[in-house]
Amino acid sequence: MAKFYRFYFVLAFCSITVIVNAQQKKFTLLPSSSTGVTFRNDIVENPTMFMYMYENLYAGAGVSIGDINNDGLPDIYFSSTRGYNKLYLNKGNFKFQDITASAGVDGGEGIKTGVNMVDINGDGLLDIYVCKSGFKDPKQRKKMLYINNGNLTFTDKAAAYGLEDRSFTIQSYFLDYDHDGDLDVFLVDHLDDFSKSMTIPARMENGKLVYVEDTTTVNTSDRLYENRGGKFVDVTKKAGLTTHAFGLSASVFDYNGDGWPDIYVANDFNKPDFFFINNKNGTFTNQLTDHLSHTSFSAMGSDIADINNDGLEDIYVVDMAVEEPKRQKQLFAVNQNYDKFNLMVQFGLFYQYPRNSLQLNNTDGTFSEIANYAGVAETEWSWAPLIADFDNDGWKDIYVTNGIKRDITDWDYKVFVLDSIINTMNKGQNVDLDKWLQSIPSVKTKKLFLS
């Protein structure tokens, strides 16, 4: 079986360095002057690209780790939102060399998002698949598939493999969904219009408010590509995976132990998450409401792990809830309108709550949501969790990356500043972008390690 490596979100404005496990269950941060890893994913805003032009701008990109030259040392590939990607070769003893230029893997232009290292052609060498999103021009959303040449160089062959997909993609997930012995790929996509994502489409019919389902899927639906002898074919519709939601992550796991991979997709905004169960005949069925009682509202990153060592996989999804009472009242994001909640339930958009969700597998096909009980419900504006036994005590821990460059949901900003800016723009007057951005509050937060 070809091997692949998982991707994780990296905060857009964090400096990236290598960390190693030290004594007494702690971590030591190694400086870039020692490791040679100088990559930074700095977000530079301008009038043609800032948060209100592309709301996912602050989400960051990704990182993938794998041994590209089979020397037994893991190498690092960083994805950059607006800049160029970087590939660092592991020289041993936590020393890395930037070989991006010679390897030919800088990711090109466009907004880069998720990245995966995967042996896509089964030659024993890891290749690199880079996703893109953001820009309206589809040419700037073309994916890149860097095939490993075996000499520390790569060649982009996305078009040749049928994977030059141009949808608004946040990340790729490789799986053998049809049990034919090769890897297929599932792409998590999102809608291209944030304003539509935040509203519930409805209209009056016979004096009654009814939900109007938007079925537009061009370049926005999640995608499934089947591997047919090394050529990938879009089988999304055939597999029953056509979607219309704002997907931000997925987790692939065999939830029911039947030997076939299932897919959990975390969706931001109003659409509930998807829980696609593999029907073992090339199709999937969304069975979210059959197995879960409720989910996170602004579902973002997700991870799967057995948190209680019962042999069954559990699901953790992060949201934007803050623990500190003052900030709870300051931020719009953590306050859910009661009327809207009831309307969403009425329209079949399920029970969604603005906090993290930890779904404990009950062994009978159902899950119990225990995030509050477990003390992991509120971790600030969170992008992604990573579950692992970091201290080697036999129990899973959770690392959460969180924070946003600007508190765009701050009540004072939304009510007293944003309204004034919108009125100015409606009058046809120019708004100074620098002053606008400086008017948005910015609060430093800590990444969370939950043991």
Side-chain angles (χ1 to χ4, degrees):
M1 171 62 74
K3 55 184 178 179
F4 66 99
Y5 290 77
R6 297 167 68 184
F7 146 93
Y8 306 100
F9 273 118
V10 177
L11 282 182
F13 45 90
C14 287
S15 175
I16 307 302
T17 51
V18 179
I19 55 176
V20 297
N21 204 338
Q23 295 179 351
Q24 299 179 346
K25 302 179 183 179
K26 297 179 180 179
F27 290 83
T28 299
L29 183 65
L30 299 182
S32 58
S33 59
S34 171
T35 64
V37 178
T38 59
F39 174 86
R40 287 178 57 91
N41 188 20
D42 293 312
I43 303 299
V44 179
E45 297 155 310
N46 58 48
T48 61
M49 181 53 65
F50 62 105
M51 195 283 302
Y52 284 102
M53 300 293 292
Y54 178 58
E55 198 158 333
N56 254 12
L57 188 64
Y58 293 158
V63 58
S64 191
I65 298 175
D67 183 2
I68 64 168
N69 58 344
N70 292 335
D71 64 353
L73 298 171
D75 311 297
I76 310 174
Y77 186 80
F78 291 107
S79 187
S80 174
T81 305
R82 296 296 308 275
Y84 291 103
N85 299 350
K86 290 288 186 179
L87 176 61
Y88 288 91
L89 184 69
N90 193 332
K91 307 296 288 186
N93 197 30
F94 301 107
K95 306 292 184 183
F96 293 82
Q97 177 187 353
D98 181 354
I99 63 168
T100 309
S102 60
V105 291
D106 66 15
E109 301 295 331
I111 292 179
K112 277 75 69 180
T113 51
V115 59
N116 242 317
M117 285 189 179
V118 55
D119 181 6
I120 204 165
N121 53 8
D123 64 354
L125 297 169
L126 287 176
D127 312 297
I128 303 172
Y129 191 51
V130 179
C131 297
K132 295 186 180 183
S133 186
F135 286 113
K136 298 296 184 180
D137 183 356
K139 293 180 181 179
Q140 296 198 60
R141 300 195 306 267
K142 292 193 300 183
K143 314 295 185 292
M144 308 195 79
L145 175 60
Y146 291 115
I147 297 299
N148 195 326
N149 297 321
N151 58 0
L152 296 182
T153 70
F154 294 76
T155 303
D156 179 21
K157 295 185 178 181
Y161 278 76
L163 288 177
E164 202 180 43
D165 177 277
R166 303 186 184 194
S167 56
F168 292 86
T169 303
I170 202 71
Q171 174 56 345
S172 61
Y173 299 82
F174 289 84
L175 70 161
D176 184 7
Y177 87 97
D178 51 4
H179 273 204
D180 65 352
D182 55 28
L183 288 177
D184 314 294
V185 61
F186 178 75
L187 302 181
V188 173
D189 290 350
H190 63 80
L191 304 181
D192 61 340
D193 191 326
F194 285 85
S195 61
K196 289 183 179 180
S197 301
M198 293 184 284
T199 58
I200 301 176
R203 65 169 176 252
M204 295 297 296
E205 289 186 1
N206 300 321
K208 184 179 180 180
L209 191 65
V210 297
Y211 179 58
V212 181
E213 176 70 43
D214 191 336
T215 57
T216 304
T217 60
V218 177
N219 290 325
T220 62
S221 169
D222 294 338
R223 292 282 192 274
L224 178 65
Y225 284 89
E226 180 187 352
N227 189 337
R228 296 180 182 174
K231 183 76 173 182
F232 288 80
V233 179
D234 188 344
V235 295
T236 307
K237 186 175 181 180
K238 176 183 175 182
L241 292 175
T242 302
T243 61
H244 183 85
F246 205 94
L248 283 184
S249 71
S251 294
V252 178
F253 70 118
D254 179 11
Y255 112 91
N256 53 9
D258 64 357
W260 294 73
D262 310 297
I263 307 172
Y264 188 95
V265 181
N267 294 321
D268 199 353
F269 299 108
N270 296 321
K271 284 291 183 71
D273 298 348
F274 302 130
F275 197 178
F276 292 119
I277 304 303
N278 196 322
N279 297 321
K280 300 182 285 190
N281 61 0
T283 69
F284 292 80
T285 302
N286 181 20
Q287 298 183 15
L288 179 77
T289 59
D290 295 334
H291 303 288
L292 280 66
S293 59
H294 61 262
T295 64
S296 299
F297 174 61
S298 298
M300 299 170 85
S302 58
D303 200 7
I304 301 293
D306 178 8
I307 65 165
N308 58 345
N309 293 342
D310 65 352
L312 298 170
E313 302 278 32
D314 311 298
I315 308 169
Y316 187 52
V317 178
V318 293
D319 200 299
M320 301 183 295
V322 299
E323 186 174 18
E324 202 273 313
K326 181 179 178 181
R327 278 180 56 73
Q328 284 184 2
K329 294 175 174 61
Q330 287 177 320
L331 302 179
F332 170 80
V334 298
N335 296 277
Q336 191 173 39
N337 183 284
Y338 179 72
D339 291 333
K340 180 180 178 180
F341 176 88
N342 288 334
L343 190 63
M344 289 175 62
V345 173
Q346 175 187 330
F347 287 162
L349 297 176
F350 203 43
Y351 298 91
Q352 302 181 61
Y353 298 93
R355 62 174 185 264
N356 301 346
S357 58
L358 178 59
Q359 309 285 355
L360 183 69
N361 195 321
N362 293 325
T363 76
D364 61 358
T366 66
F367 291 80
S368 293
E369 203 283 293
I370 62 167
N372 274 316
Y373 177 79
V376 296
E378 299 166 333
T379 54
E380 285 279 346
W381 192 307
S382 301
W383 295 108
L386 176 59
I387 305 176
D389 182 7
F390 293 104
D391 53 7
N392 293 326
D393 66 352
W395 295 92
K396 298 294 192 302
D397 311 298
I398 305 175
Y399 181 76
V400 179
T401 59
N402 61 23
I404 186 166
K405 192 172 184 178
R406 309 184 195 283
D407 275 341
I408 57 174
T409 62
D410 180 272
W411 274 112
D412 288 340
Y413 162 71
K414 288 176 68 69
V415 174
F416 299 109
V417 178
L418 185 58
D419 282 354
S420 176
I421 292 173
I422 292 175
N423 289 334
T424 300
M425 296 173 66
N426 288 338
K427 294 177 182 179
Q429 300 174 7
N430 293 328
V431 175
D432 187 290
L433 180 61
D434 290 335
K435 291 183 178 180
W436 181 357
L437 296 176
Q438 290 172 11
S439 71
I440 307 176
S442 182
V443 178
K444 290 185 178 181
T445 60
K446 295 180 180 179
K447 303 177 190 66
L448 295 180
F449 182 81
L450 308 169
S451 181

